[in-house]
Structure formats: structure tokens, C-alpha cells
């Protein structure tokens, strides 16, 4: 996709080499050790392990890289947290695609190879952000493989991804492995624009379509009710013979329910929501199913990519997840903001992370949310999909114009090192209130101590 002409990627950037952690992984683990972290989340490429997509041809060099990486992490007392699928479907399988439920079986075969060959992994995540896979890959067509099947193909994709996740979970448990396995879902917050019942219902509906359609079957059972109703109603008005959302049978509901030891949660943005009017029935689309109008939150700063920085939205997401999904164990697998790469002094990132950490503490102590760990996105500047290298999320800057891809610490590195070292959000040694100090201490103990996973 990134080699198309014209390119859909900013500045015609490609992921051919990116930050080249393939060759520089030992240097990157040096950075992790210097930071003082005790776990590291990374993703595995299906194509690197199985170039054809099928299990009959295993690329041993690809496997060896991940073996070397996980060994290096373990030798430094850093727990490897591995994501099995992070959007990169092998090209030979693109014609099959996630809307085809047969892909689930191929995914399980791939996952089994990875799991058996990487015994040092301490935590497994099946999928990263299935919304991006399904909605943007097979609905809007913005992400690879660029399929435009809004309101149809994307729902078939959701069904297949959940089926693949559940089958992988049962396969994994049959191997009698003790490390936990979960799934990472990106849940943004949608604030009602007004106090009207219509706007409140619209806001909840939008969360259920974007987050609940993936989380509800795993942690509650079946699709969210408002999602089922909306897609069915629109399908009937559009003269379909049945709902475009695949119906989950009772056996499928039972099979998918409970297939996660924890919820991986990514959070980036918050928007306002207004209920929208019903659109014409001659157009099938996800937007017509959801039927909302999104707006920007007033008086908030944004990252270089335009994402609004709204820490209180994270607090509301966490409380919502606790309430709606039976108070699951939560590992926050991504929070962060982007810069444009023009400076190493990333004070906006330090400010945002401080506010995000405080929001998490509020969720733990005021709402009783079960957050056990946090991963910042990201260690390094990276190939950021459509943004290419124009949006920089890393604690370390990468010079993508240099063949050796040198890394340079940004100001946020010292900030994060200090948080880990002092177990506090207070940058001074003797300032801050007592409650901040207590929260800071427990912050260091819970949020940054990964040993809690070993209790599973």
C-alpha cells in the first residue's frame, strides 16, 4: 500500500527500514534498561514469520530475531509483552482478507508457531486495535488493504477477528502456558454535546460501535444491544434480507465470552457527540448505522498530528470499561502524544503524560478501576501509518535521513526515568502535598511494577 503511486502516506514515506530495530535491538534494549522499565511491549510481524501467510513455510531468520530480542529482554530482567497481530496481514493473504472467516484458522496456525517458539514471552496480546483493522482497513479503506466496504465488510471483519482471537486463546490455554493472554482495544471517549437524552444515547452508541463491538462479546457476551438494534433497523430499511452484522449464535456467544485474562486498552482522543438525523436509506455505511456528529473539545491542546489531549477523557473511558465490562483487569497498552520532530525539548509530552498518569490514579483510587500497568507509546519515533515520519511519538528521536538511524533522547526520557526511580509524579525531592506523595508512591508500585502479572 505504501508503494502505490500516488502514495497515501505523508511525504511518500515507506516502512522499508523505519527505525531499524531489527538490527539495532540491543541498543534499544540498552535504552529500556537505562529507563528502568521492567516490561516492554513489541509487535510480531506475521509476514516475517510466514512470508506466504501459510504455516508450511517458516522463515527461521524471522523467528530468530524475536528469539534474540526476547532473550535480550529477559537477560536484563525486562518482561517481553508480545502482540501477535498489529495490522500487517501477509500480502499473499490480502485477497482472502479479514472479512473471510477462513482467515481465523490461518491466524491460529501462525499464532501457535509464534507461541511455541517464543517461550520467554511473559504476556501475550492477540490483536492490537481491531477497530483500525476492520473499520479503516475494510470500511473506509484508509488503512491497508484499502477495501471500501463500509457497513458490510467491516462487520464481517469484526466477526472473523473475534473468532480468531477466541480460537487462539483456547489453543494457547491447551498448551498449559501460565503467562496471561488478552487483546488490545482502542477506546476513545465521546462526550455528549448537551444534556439531552438523544445526545447521551448517541454518545453511548458511538462508544459501543467503536469499542464495545469488540469488548462486549469477550467480557459480557454478544454484541452491544444498541449496535445490534441500529444495524438491524438500517439493514431492514435498506432492503437487506437480514442484518448486515453477523448474528452470533448461542454457542458462539458462549465460546467468545471470557477469552481474555486482561483488557489491553489504548487511549488517544476525546470528542463531543451530537445525535444526527436519519440518513437516506439508499446508502449503506457505518456512519449511517452509528448516526452521530462528532465535534472538537474546546480549549484543549493537541499533538502535532491534531489529536486533542484530553486526560479527563481517559478517566471516563476507564470508568466506562469498569462499569460496562464487569471490571476487567486493565493493562493500558498505549497512551502518548506526537511531536513534529523539530526539537528534543518535548515539554508538551511531559505535561500530557503527567496529566494522563494523574487521570489513571484518579480512576484507581476514586473509581476502583483495576489498572495494573501502563505502556507509553512509544520508545522510539516510528513509521506512523498514514502520517509516515511526520508524527513522532517516541521518547527517543530517530534520524530517518541517516542510514544508521541514530537515536537521541528527548527531554521526556529524563522525566520518565525520574518517575520510575522516585515512584512519584513530583519532579522535586521535597515538594508536593502528602496525598500527592502517597499517590505517587502507589503509582510507582502499581502502574510501573509489572510483577503483578505473575500473580495470574
Amino acid at each position: 500500500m505504501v508503494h502505490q503511486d500516488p502514495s497515501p502516506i505523508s511525504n511518500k514515506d515507506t516502512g522499508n527500514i523505519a527505525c531499524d530495530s531489527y538490527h539495532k535491538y540491543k541498543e534499544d534494549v540498552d535504552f529500556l534498561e537505562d529507563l528502568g522499565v521492567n516490561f516492554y511491549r513489541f509487535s510480531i510481524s506475521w509476514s516475517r514469520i510466514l512470508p506466504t501467510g501459510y504455516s508450511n513455510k517458516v522463515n527461521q531468520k524471522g523467528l530468530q530475531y524475536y528469539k534474540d530480542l526476547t532473550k535480550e529482554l529477559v537477560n536484563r530482567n525486562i518482561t517481553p509483552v508480545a502482540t501477535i497481530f498489529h495490522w500487517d496481514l501477509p500480502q499473499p493473504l490480502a485477497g482472502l482478507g479479514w472479512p473471510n472467516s477462513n482467515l481465523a484458522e490461518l491466524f491460529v496456525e501462525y499464532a501457535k508457531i509464534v507461541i511455541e517458539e517464543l517461550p520467554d514471552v511473559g504476556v501475550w496480546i492477540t490483536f492490537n486495535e481491531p477497530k483500525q483493522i476492520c473499520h479503516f482497513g475494510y470500511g473506509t479503506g484508509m488503512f491497508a488493504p484499502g477495501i471500501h466496504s463500509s457497513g458490510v465488510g467491516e462487520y464481517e471483519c469484526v466477526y472473523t477477528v473475534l473468532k480468531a482471537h477466541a480460537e487462539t486463546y483456547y489453543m494457547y490455554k491447551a498448551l498449559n502456558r501460565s503467562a496471561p493472554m488478552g487483546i488490545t482495544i482502542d477506546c476513545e471517549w465521546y462526550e455528549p454535546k448537551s444534556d439531552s437524552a438523544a445526545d447521551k444515547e448517541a454518545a453511548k452508541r458511538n462508544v459501543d460501535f467503536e469499542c464495545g463491538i469488540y469488548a462486549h462479546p469477550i467480557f459480557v457476551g454478544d454484541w452491544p444491544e444498541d449496535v445490534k438494534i441500529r444495524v438491524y433497523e438500517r439493514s431492514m430499511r435498506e432492503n437487506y434480507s437480514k442484518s448486515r452484522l453477523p448474528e452470533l449464535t448461542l454457542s458462539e456467544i458462549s465460546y467468545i465470552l471470557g477469552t481474555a485474562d486482561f483488557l489491553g486498552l489504548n487511549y488517544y482522543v476525546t470528542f463531543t457527540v451530537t445525535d444526527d438525523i436519519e440518513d437516506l436509506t439508499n446508502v449503506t455505511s457505518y456512519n449511517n448505522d452509528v448516526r452521530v456528529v462528532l465535534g472538537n473539545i474546546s480549549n484543549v491542546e493537541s499533538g502535532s498530528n491534531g489529536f486533542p489531549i484530553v486526560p479527563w477523557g481517559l478517566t471516563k473511558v476507564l470508568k466506562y470499561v469498569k462499569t460496562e465490562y464487569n471490571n476487567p483487569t486493565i493493562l493500558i497498552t498505549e497512551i502518548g502524544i506526537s511531536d513534529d520532530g523539530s526539537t528534543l525539548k518535548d515539554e508538551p509530552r511531559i505535561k500530557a503524560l503527567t496529566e494522563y498518569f494523574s487521570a489513571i490514579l484518579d480512576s484507581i483510587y476514586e473509581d476502583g478501576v483495576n489498572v495494573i500497568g501502563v505502556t507509553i507509546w512509544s520508545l522510539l519515533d516510528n513509521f506512523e501509518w498514514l502520517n509516515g515520519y511526520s508524527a513522532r511519538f517516541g521518547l527517543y528521536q530517530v534520524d530517518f535521513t541517516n542510514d544508521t538511524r541514530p537515536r537521541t533522547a528527548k527531554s521526556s526520557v529524563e522525566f520518565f526515568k525520574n518517575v520510575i526511580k522516585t515512584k512519584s509524579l513530583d519532579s522535586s525531592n521535597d515538594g508536593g502535598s502528602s496525598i500527592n506523595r502517597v499517590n505517587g508512591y502507589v503509582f510507582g508500585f502499581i502502574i510501573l511494577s509489572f510483577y503483578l502479572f505473575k500473580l495470574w
Side-chain angles (χ1 to χ4, degrees):
M1 184 171 183
V2 302
H3 292 116
Q4 292 176 351
D5 186 18
S7 173
I9 313 301
S10 178
N11 302 317
K12 299 182 180 180
D13 292 333
T14 74
N16 291 1
I17 299 175
C19 44
D20 199 20
S21 198
Y22 180 83
H23 293 104
K24 298 171 73 71
Y25 72 92
K26 287 188 178 181
E27 179 181 339
D28 296 339
V29 177
D30 287 340
F31 293 143
L32 292 166
E33 187 175 40
D34 183 60
L35 282 169
V37 304
N38 49 17
F39 70 101
Y40 176 55
R41 180 184 179 227
F42 61 94
S43 299
I44 300 172
S45 169
W46 189 342
S47 297
R48 181 173 284 168
I49 307 301
L50 304 176
T52 68
Y54 294 90
S55 60
N56 63 319
K57 292 184 179 181
V58 179
N59 176 22
Q60 293 299 329
K61 289 184 178 181
L63 269 176
Q64 191 60 49
Y65 163 68
Y66 294 110
K67 290 178 180 179
D68 293 341
L69 172 60
T70 53
K71 284 289 185 185
E72 193 71 26
L73 291 168
V74 170
N75 289 341
R76 313 285 190 96
N77 294 316
I78 300 171
T79 299
V81 179
T83 300
I84 301 174
F85 187 81
H86 200 140
W87 311 358
D88 51 344
L89 185 67
Q91 188 66 38
L93 299 181
L96 195 62
W98 284 108
N100 189 321
S101 61
N102 291 325
L103 194 61
E105 181 179 351
L106 297 179
F107 177 80
V108 175
E109 292 177 358
Y110 151 63
K112 189 172 188 291
I113 292 172
V114 168
I115 290 167
E116 290 182 332
E117 294 288 342
L118 299 175
D120 290 323
V121 170
V123 177
W124 289 101
I125 297 169
T126 54
F127 289 89
N128 178 76
E129 297 185 347
K131 180 182 74 177
Q132 311 300 327
I133 302 167
C134 296
H135 178 58
F136 291 104
Y138 297 92
T140 68
M142 287 178 59
F143 291 166
I147 303 299
H148 297 269
S149 185
S150 184
V152 180
E154 61 190 307
Y155 295 142
E156 298 287 349
C157 172
V158 177
Y159 172 77
T160 304
V161 167
L162 285 174
K163 181 180 177 182
H165 162 79
E167 290 181 4
T168 300
Y169 183 83
Y170 287 115
M171 175 272 293
Y172 176 68
K173 295 301 179 180
L175 296 174
N176 294 318
R177 299 297 178 86
S178 59
M181 174 176 281
I183 186 171
T184 284
I185 300 172
D186 53 321
C187 295
E188 319 304 347
W189 183 246
Y190 297 95
E191 185 75 3
K193 183 70 173 179
S194 73
D195 289 332
S196 70
D199 284 357
K200 289 179 179 178
E201 291 173 2
K204 184 180 187 306
R205 187 167 64 245
N206 204 81
V207 174
D208 283 343
F209 264 92
E210 293 204 356
C211 177
I213 198 172
Y214 307 100
H216 204 277
I218 296 172
F219 295 96
V220 180
D222 204 1
W223 311 117
E225 195 64 24
D226 51 358
V227 173
K228 288 199 297 183
I229 291 172
R230 277 298 302 166
V231 180
Y232 176 80
E233 288 179 346
R234 284 293 306 187
S235 298
M236 294 302 101
R237 291 176 181 177
E238 295 162 3
N239 294 321
Y240 287 87
S241 60
K242 62 180 181 179
S243 176
R244 290 176 274 104
L245 180 68
E247 181 183 1
L248 295 177
T249 66
L250 291 177
S251 62
E252 287 175 327
I253 292 171
S254 176
Y255 187 76
I256 296 171
L257 179 61
T259 55
D261 301 319
F262 65 93
L263 170 64
L265 181 70
N266 293 354
Y267 168 81
Y268 285 105
V269 297
T270 287
F271 294 105
T272 63
V273 173
T274 304
D275 189 40
D276 199 6
I277 60 174
E278 198 71 65
D279 206 342
L280 299 175
T281 58
N282 62 345
V283 177
T284 294
S285 76
Y286 171 89
N287 287 339
N288 286 348
D289 291 340
V290 184
R291 204 193 71 203
V292 300
V293 177
L294 302 183
N296 292 321
I297 302 293
S298 302
N299 302 316
V300 298
E301 298 176 350
S302 298
S304 67
N305 62 349
F307 284 6
I309 303 169
V310 188
W312 56 260
L314 175 56
T315 304
K316 292 197 173 187
V317 164
L318 289 170
K319 186 175 182 179
Y320 184 90
V321 167
K322 176 194 174 183
T323 302
E324 293 291 316
Y325 309 140
N326 295 321
N327 195 22
T329 298
I330 298 172
L331 171 61
I332 296 177
T333 37
E334 291 182 29
I335 52 170
I337 70 166
S338 66
D339 62 76
D340 62 7
S342 62
T343 179
L344 296 173
K345 297 180 179 180
D346 56 344
E347 280 78 10
R349 177 172 288 108
I350 295 172
K351 179 175 182 289
L353 289 177
T354 301
E355 293 174 347
Y356 282 142
F357 291 153
S358 296
I360 294 166
L361 287 172
D362 289 343
S363 299
I364 293 171
Y365 296 112
E366 296 179 12
D367 299 323
V369 177
N370 188 20
V371 176
I372 61 162
V374 178
T375 305
I376 290 175
W377 184 266
S378 56
L379 177 68
L380 307 171
D381 289 341
N382 56 275
F383 181 78
E384 191 58 37
W385 307 106
L386 295 181
N387 294 123
Y389 302 112
S390 65
R392 308 294 190 95
F393 280 86
L395 298 178
Y396 289 85
Q397 185 184 82
V398 178
D399 183 356
F400 295 103
T401 66
N402 189 317
D403 288 343
T404 65
R405 299 298 194 270
R407 289 90 155 97
T408 307
K410 302 177 187 178
S411 299
S412 53
V413 167
E414 286 303 314
F415 158 76
F416 194 45
K417 284 175 64 175
N418 188 65
V419 169
I420 297 173
K421 180 180 179 180
T422 65
K423 298 180 174 62
S424 172
L425 295 179
D426 186 359
S427 60
S428 68
N429 290 326
D430 52 12
S433 67
S434 59
I435 186 65
N436 284 338
R437 288 197 167 282
V438 170
N439 281 356
Y441 172 75
V442 181
F443 170 85
F445 187 71
I446 296 180
I447 303 301
L448 296 175
S449 289
F450 203 70
Y451 88 96
L452 288 178
F453 270 121
K454 301 184 186 300
L455 298 180
W456 277 327

